[in-house]
Amino acid sequence: LIDKPGEFALGEADGYLYYWPRSEPIEQQEIIAPTVPSIIQVKGRSATALARNIVFQGLTLTVTDFAKSVIHFNDHDGAVHIENAEKVTVQFSKVRNTGGHGVMLSGYAQENVVYGNLLEDLGIHGVSLHGPAIGDAHVNKNNRVSNNYIRRGGQLYGFGSGVMLDNSGDNEVSYNKITDMPRYGVSLKGLTYGRMATSYKG
């Protein structure tokens, strides 16, 4: 399946990495391989011991790994992974070449902001908001994803979205430019209102 420069494949049985170089000689190139699924993790200890009031601005974050052992796309990390947190801002930054999501807001996540960023060449989603399973409290909400340029997602999972909201509500998703996605620009997943109203505790 390697049919153009820049593509590679890892032969796990023989331990060889096969790579078609973008230019030659290959010895004069810098080749970077990912080793971690996240570059920045902001994770509070629990929904009652939150991380809060942090701003990341003007960063360039690139090259994260893809976890083959993870089956469901929402279990993957983001290059920026925010969990059990509130009032965390990621703004005016570049996130590119990710194995998982660009920015992930999981678990308890409220009043966080993803604003004015370039997110490109993404393994799965640009920005993913993933709340707890049905039956837990509705705590992934009131976040803002606005004025981002999100492009070329779904490189490793073919149904990548610019913005994915799964068991997450009451958010603002506005003024984003989303291009070159294999399936969705913005995707909203969850149960019907009637089932959610009887399933969520809060």
Side-chain angles (χ1 to χ4, degrees):
L1 296 176
I2 299 176
D3 59 4
K4 61 184 177 181
E7 294 184 341
F8 70 93
L10 177 62
E12 295 184 8
D14 58 19
Y16 281 96
L17 176 67
Y18 301 91
Y19 172 62
W20 185 340
R22 295 182 188 275
S23 61
E24 295 186 15
I26 192 171
E27 294 82 3
Q28 295 181 5
Q29 294 187 53
E30 179 182 37
I31 299 172
I32 300 171
T35 59
V36 295
S38 291
I39 298 171
I40 294 175
Q41 291 187 339
V42 178
K43 293 187 177 183
R45 289 191 300 273
S46 69
T48 56
L50 301 173
R52 57 169 57 96
N53 301 320
I54 302 169
V55 176
F56 297 100
Q57 178 173 313
L59 303 176
T60 297
L61 307 172
T62 184
V63 187
T64 59
D65 205 359
F66 175 77
K68 294 185 310 181
S69 60
V70 175
I71 297 174
H72 195 271
F73 60 85
N74 276 328
D75 294 329
H76 280 266
D77 288 306
V80 179
H81 196 110
I82 299 167
E83 182 176 334
N84 293 329
E86 65 182 12
K87 298 181 180 176
V88 176
T89 297
V90 180
Q91 63 185 10
F92 308 127
S93 294
K94 298 175 183 177
V95 180
R96 53 171 58 110
N97 297 318
T98 67
H101 312 291
V103 178
M104 175 68 148
L105 304 175
S106 65
Y108 186 108
Q110 296 186 22
E111 299 182 64
N112 301 294
V113 177
V114 181
Y115 183 90
N117 303 286
L118 170 64
L119 301 106
E120 61 183 355
D121 300 312
L122 309 155
I124 313 176
H125 307 305
V127 181
S128 181
L129 294 86
H130 180 59
I134 297 299
D136 294 327
H138 177 37
V139 294
N140 194 295
K141 59 185 177 181
N142 299 328
N143 301 290
R144 182 181 177 208
V145 181
S146 186
N147 282 284
N148 302 284
Y149 184 14
I150 306 171
R151 61 185 178 182
R152 298 193 297 271
Q155 297 291 311
L156 299 174
Y157 265 106
F159 43 79
S161 306
V163 180
M164 164 63 83
L165 302 109
D166 187 16
N167 293 329
S168 179
D170 305 301
N171 302 293
E172 177 186 335
V173 178
S174 61
Y175 306 109
N176 299 287
K177 181 178 180 180
I178 300 171
T179 65
D180 303 300
M181 293 291 160
R183 190 166 183 188
Y184 305 115
V186 177
S187 180
L188 177 62
K189 305 288 185 189
L191 298 178
T192 62
Y193 173 78
R195 289 186 65 191
M196 289 177 74
T198 58
S199 297
Y200 279 121
K201 298 174 185 175

